[in-house]
Amino acid sequence: MSSVLTIRGGVPLAGRVTVRGAKNLVPKAMVAALLGNEPSVLRNVPEIKDVEVVTSLLQLHGVTVEKDPVTGDLTLDPTKAKTASHTAIDAHAGDSRIPILLCGPLIHAIGEAFIPDLGGCKIGDRPIDYHLNVLRQFGAVVEKRPGGIHISAPDGLKGAKISLPYPSVGATEQVLLSATRAEGITELSGAATEPEIVDLIAVLQKMGAIISVQTDRTIRIEGVPDLGGYNHRALSDRNESASWASAALVTRGDIFVEGATQRDMMTFLNTYRKVGGGMDIGDDGIRFYHKGGKLNPLVLETDVHPGFMTDWQQPLIVALTQAEGVSIVHETVYENRFGFTEALIRMGANIQVHRECLGSVPCRFGQRNFLHSAVISGPTQLTGADIDVPDLRGGFSHLIAALAANGTSRVTGIDIINRGYERFTEKLAGLGADFDITAAK
Ligand code: EPZ
């Protein structure tokens, strides 16, 4: 049943939230368990929709997934993996993109995979060409079928020398999950090296994989015939942590984010400080707060790690609507990630989006008609409005804009936010937000 949030704005968020395992690692670590010949244990698992989707997909393929009722830790046993019906897979895939990462592990486990046409946030075309090219280079046969793609490898997967046209996180994970048990050596140049990638490598190394990340972003994998299980505590979600940090600025509040990890947020913390945000960095988390003075505008360019992470820009843009002056955000990872600004403009924000690369370097999207640069002028008073959430991070941005706005906002489509923000309405209530949840009519 979809819900409607009625938010009465103007209340600074103050208090403590706990951020657990990263949405962009946990489902991948669950998939990696399929590669093992014995059970694995995954800890620090958040209760989010993406975990539910992967749990049901794995169970469909004969993997038992047990959740500890107290800790939420998952025990995954892949020893009875089996094929599943295409219709069942399609019904369970939901709007997640994770199913594409099941290819390598399923081919190693049962010799084939069927991947339904994928979902994911509407922030661009979200193609999977890199993934399919990688699988073909490992020797897989990729066939388009009604409703999805069938992948098989009659002779098994063989190591390959692969170069990615762009440091894609998903394609890098595709290589890692396929190469660890492939025959021979795989060398991946132009790899993504995000913290979630490094944590997945840690998971695979615990299972017995031989993987090295070299100085020039080349990842080298020596295939091994068998892998064992793992016992791993997932790294915390730096994107959720950054979202709460932006919420503290936007609502002029003060939020301690337990689990926020400086090591994975260095670039964000530098930017947060330049905008004028206050922070106290501790061992068990980070306190983010509005210092009471004005916020500073800035010029920002998103990039792959260790650059400014694309998932951080949407909530931060809401804070930039309150900065005194003109800010520029050049989004270089996704071609269409500013759709969420439409609702902010209706609420009173002054934002223009442009086709030009308004950053230090021209990116892949320049002169291709993508509105991928934004100019934000502030400060502007936000006023409550009716909002329908467009995507995960844009949806969180709308929530914090409504929390800071004068008046009342009605926010629909909030179920998308459950994909990546664990118990977010409970957390909002705990921080003093003034809202009601009602069932949509
Ligand atoms: C992961 O998406 C994350 N999602 C995204 O987080 C994150 O923004 C992104 O990495 C970049 O860090 C998960 O991990 C589940 P990509 P992914 O492959 O792997 C293009 C969030 O809000 N591309 O690095 O799908 C693609 O279109 C989400 O938590 C191809 O062209 O991202 C994009 O422009 C949003 N062909 C660029 O590469 C391909 O085959 C980066 O995509 C694959 C990707």
Side-chain angles (χ1 to χ4, degrees), residues 22-33 42 54 98 101 105 169-170 173 177 196-197 200 203-204 230:
K23 167 186 95 72
N24 293 348
L25 176 273
V26 164
K28 291 74 172 284
M30 292 170 70
V31 168
L42 184 56
V54 176
I98 306 297
L101 296 178
V169 166
E173 292 162 341
L177 292 167
E196 294 79 17
I197 296 278
L200 180 61
V203 164
L204 293 166
Y230 65 78

Side-chain angles (χ1 to χ4, degrees), residues 59-87:
Q59 288 170 335
L60 209 55
H61 286 89
V63 178
T64 57
V65 182
E66 283 161 27
K67 178 176 169 182
D68 182 300
V70 176
T71 61
D73 295 354
L74 299 181
T75 300
L76 306 107
D77 182 351
T79 51
K80 296 186 177 52
K82 62 179 177 52
T83 53
S85 82
H86 295 178
T87 43

Side-chain angles (χ1 to χ4, degrees), residues 23-24 28 97 127-130 168-170 311 333-334 393:
K23 167 186 95 72
N24 293 348
K28 291 74 172 284
R97 289 178 57 75
I128 56 169
D129 52 328
Y130 300 166
S168 153
V169 166
D311 299 350
V333 178
Y334 287 106
R393 307 297 171 189

Side-chain angles (χ1 to χ4, degrees), residues 81-281:
K82 62 179 177 52
T83 53
S85 82
H86 295 178
T87 43
I89 295 169
D90 199 8
H92 285 77
D95 51 7
S96 162
R97 289 178 57 75
I98 306 297
I100 188 69
L101 296 178
L102 281 163
C103 297
L106 283 177
I107 289 171
H108 286 305
I110 55 177
E112 64 171 344
F114 173 79
I115 307 304
D117 293 330
L118 294 182
C121 289
K122 301 287 176 280
I123 52 180
D125 181 33
R126 310 300 293 276
I128 56 169
D129 52 328
Y130 300 166
H131 293 257
L132 301 182
N133 292 340
V134 158
L135 288 162
R136 290 188 184 100
Q137 292 180 70
F138 278 112
V141 176
V142 177
E143 296 165 77
K144 184 72 183 93
R145 295 268 178 90
I149 298 163
H150 182 265
I151 298 119
S152 60
D155 305 326
L157 299 179
K158 307 272 188 291
K161 192 171 173 60
I162 299 169
S163 172
L164 289 180
Y166 182 81
S168 153
V169 166
T172 301
E173 292 162 341
Q174 186 73 247
V175 171
L176 290 170
L177 292 167
S178 300
T180 43
R181 278 185 47 193
E183 187 190 322
I185 306 280
T186 294
E187 201 171 86
L188 170 62
S189 55
T193 57
E194 271 66 7
E196 294 79 17
I197 296 278
V198 176
D199 214 39
L200 180 61
I201 291 173
V203 164
L204 293 166
Q205 188 178 53
K206 286 179 176 176
M207 298 174 79
I210 301 170
I211 304 172
S212 59
V213 182
Q214 290 156 3
T215 51
D216 59 354
R217 299 177 89 99
T218 296
I219 297 181
R220 193 171 187 279
I221 302 118
E222 297 179 30
V224 293
D226 293 302
L227 291 174
Y230 65 78
N231 187 313
H232 187 75
R233 185 179 191 281
L235 84 170
S236 72
D237 195 317
R238 61 195 174 117
N239 295 339
E240 181 179 352
S241 297
S243 299
W244 291 115
S246 295
L249 274 193
V250 169
T251 64
R252 305 178 70 82
D254 185 331
I255 302 174
F256 182 78
V257 181
E258 182 187 5
T261 308
Q262 179 185 11
R263 179 200 59 228
D264 300 336
M265 299 181 74
M266 306 283 277
T267 306
F268 178 82
L269 298 176
N270 289 336
T271 301
Y272 197 80
R273 178 165 282 150
K274 285 195 289 187
V275 171
M279 66 182 87
D280 295 335
I281 300 171

